[in-house]
Amino acid sequence: MLSGRALFLSSLLSGALAQSTNPFQKYTITAPGINASFIPYGARLTNLYVNDRDGNPQDVALGYDEGSQYLNDTETDHTYYGAVVGRYANRIKNGTFTVDGVTSQIPENEHDGHDTLHGGFVGYDQQNWTVASANESTITFSFLDQAQQGFPGTIITYATYTVSAGPQWTSRLVSIPLDEPTPIMLSNHVYWNLDAFSNPSDHTILNNTLYMPYSDRYIEIDNIEVPNGTIGVVNDTILDFTAPKQIGRDIEQDVNGCGLGCTGYDNAFILDRPRYSAPEGTDLSVLTLSSNVTGIQLDVKTNQQSLQIYTCDTLKGTIPVKQSQQHSSNGSTVYVPQFGCIVIETQQWIDGINHPEWGQDQYQIYTVDSEPAVVFAQFDFSIMSS
């Protein structure tokens, strides 16, 4: 039975759910120098325009032109383009975990049933979120998760996206448990290409420069990208981005880095810097990505303790880029190649619920008596200095 607090929150959301929402309708929010579009299906980012060094707007997020194409993607490639992933982002070993002595089994939807990825067969990316509020520069989506995919308990999540002068995009994912203790680890799953596919000779991000000054350690993984319990140190390895480095410099050496037989980066980097509780006041950038082609620079700030970095290693040139990114002079269609994008997931430690020795429970297990789970991520855009 739901508590009084849970019934109150649930009634508020039920009112919002009564409003019909087209899951593929595009909502655009704007501020000086930036505009971003979203759809309720997965509470996902579909477009994000910022100006390049010449003052031309460039769409730097991957996606599709039509909202309904995201449904087709779910049924085919299942890229998770731009969506919120959860209730537990990333991987859970064997699809199982134990909270307060109760063991849960979640659908194992990856690697022939050996682990759970992004919440199971039907994660938050496939849910039709409700538009709870929207104005010129902010939109909030809401979703009531009633023990879906075998996760314990009911939670309400609000995804609030705001754009502001800077230009800047801010994401706040707030999840409130209504009854049982449960793991919660959400993240935005945006695919970035700061070149905006405008370089006619190279559509990859290999010449982009990546800098993660606080990522001295990483979580080691097995052949199916599940943590093996070991914490590694990046010093003197190809995973060292604690000084600015082109993404492509060492990537061909990272064989099996994204799973057995796979070349490229798909790693969880630990953020070894003080955790803070008031993210709005921070000036701490945990990641800088920059493009020499457009001059666009992205700085990421977050209250999370890890960054999952994926360099689109498994994309093979079968998905066309959006019309806003088709810059070919001869009219030929541009497709997303291998290494044609980078995903930056702000989150807690992957599979931390199965590694109590890491001390992650307070950041991954939430109850009706705890603070809400809050994933804050701020994306600041600028023109890189020459």
Side-chain angles (χ1 to χ4, degrees):
M1 178 177 294
L2 293 179
S3 66
R5 171 198 186 208
L7 286 170
F8 172 71
L9 290 170
S10 184
S11 67
L12 288 180
L13 186 58
S14 296
L17 288 171
Q19 304 172 20
S20 72
T21 300
N22 176 354
F24 306 123
Q25 180 179 342
K26 188 174 290 188
Y27 296 81
T28 300
I29 56 178
T30 64
I34 185 170
N35 74 73
S37 297
F38 305 87
I39 59 173
Y41 182 64
R44 74 183 69 217
L45 175 76
T46 62
N47 307 79
L48 193 145
Y49 288 88
V50 291
N51 291 338
D52 62 18
R53 63 163 61 93
D54 297 319
N56 300 314
Q58 299 288 352
D59 189 354
V60 294
L62 273 68
Y64 296 99
D65 291 307
E66 299 297 329
S68 59
Q69 291 177 282
Y70 290 93
L71 177 59
N72 179 69
D73 178 282
T74 298
E75 297 169 345
T76 54
D77 299 290
H78 206 169
T79 61
Y80 302 91
Y81 265 174
V84 173
V85 289
R87 174 185 304 195
Y88 194 92
N90 222 313
R91 294 173 173 88
I92 301 174
K93 185 176 183 178
N94 297 323
T96 188
F97 54 84
T98 300
V99 176
D100 286 359
V102 178
T103 299
S104 298
Q105 181 66 55
I106 309 304
E108 297 155 287
N109 60 320
E110 191 186 40
H111 297 124
D112 297 321
H114 287 94
D115 70 280
T116 298
L117 175 66
H118 295 328
F121 285 112
V122 183
Y124 282 20
D125 65 295
Q126 297 177 59
Q127 304 296 339
N128 296 333
W129 294 55
T130 296
V131 178
S133 177
N135 59 35
E136 182 179 352
S137 60
T138 300
I139 187 167
T140 296
F141 297 96
S142 58
F143 173 61
L144 179 65
D145 175 359
Q146 297 175 294
Q148 296 203 16
Q149 297 293 286
F151 283 93
T154 299
I155 67 174
I156 290 175
T157 295
Y158 297 92
T160 298
Y161 304 133
T162 302
V163 292
S164 55
Q168 178 186 100
W169 171 46
T170 300
S171 168
R172 288 180 181 83
L173 309 177
V174 180
S175 300
I176 305 170
L178 301 184
D179 40 38
E180 300 178 41
T182 181
I184 304 173
M185 190 171 85
L186 273 58
S187 186
N188 298 107
H189 202 274
V190 178
Y191 288 67
W192 302 100
N193 184 311
L194 298 188
D195 293 356
F197 300 96
S198 61
N199 184 352
S201 61
D202 183 5
H203 295 136
T204 73
I205 45 85
L206 296 180
N207 288 321
N208 284 190
T209 298
L210 179 62
Y211 174 41
M212 298 187 291
Y214 302 100
S215 295
D216 295 302
R217 298 184 296 159
Y218 69 102
I219 297 174
E220 295 190 13
I221 54 178
D222 61 18
N223 287 336
I224 59 170
E225 304 175 85
V226 173
N228 60 20
T230 303
I231 304 300
V233 178
V234 304
N235 188 40
D236 291 328
T237 75
I238 57 178
L239 296 178
D240 191 353
F241 288 92
T242 57
K245 182 175 74 171
Q246 281 193 330
I247 294 172
R249 195 186 80 179
D250 303 319
I251 200 168
E252 295 294 342
Q253 301 176 43
D254 196 16
V255 179
N256 301 326
C258 48
L260 183 63
C262 178
T263 298
Y265 298 117
D266 195 359
N267 303 94
F269 294 86
I270 294 170
L271 295 175
D272 287 316
R273 55 86 167 96
R275 182 180 174 87
Y276 54 85
S277 59
E280 293 84 353
T282 183
D283 291 323
L284 198 63
S285 173
V286 298
L287 179 148
T288 300
L289 180 69
S290 57
S291 163
N292 282 322
V293 175
T294 60
I296 296 171
Q297 178 172 302
L298 168 62
D299 284 278
V300 178
K301 302 169 185 176
T302 182
N303 68 341
Q304 300 297 283
Q305 295 176 298
S306 175
L307 296 172
Q308 180 79 24
I309 303 298
Y310 167 60
T311 51
C312 300
D313 321 304
T314 57
L315 297 185
K316 302 298 183 182
T318 59
I319 303 175
V321 304
K322 292 175 288 187
Q323 286 301 312
S324 57
Q325 297 165 333
Q326 296 285 354
H327 298 288
S328 173
S329 59
N330 61 10
S332 60
T333 299
V334 174
Y335 291 81
V336 184
Q338 183 183 33
F339 310 133
C341 42
I342 181 172
V343 178
I344 304 165
E345 299 174 49
T346 59
Q347 58 194 217
Q348 297 300 328
W349 294 18
I350 174 177
D351 201 30
I353 51 173
N354 284 317
H355 292 276
E357 71 275 15
W358 292 348
Q360 279 282 299
D361 282 5
Q362 63 178 313
Y363 308 123
Q364 298 196 12
I365 307 298
Y366 293 87
T367 71
V368 293
D369 298 317
S370 70
E371 294 182 0
V374 179
V375 180
F376 169 84
Q378 180 175 304
F379 303 87
D380 294 332
F381 296 91
S382 60
I383 299 301
M384 58 188 293
S385 58
S386 55

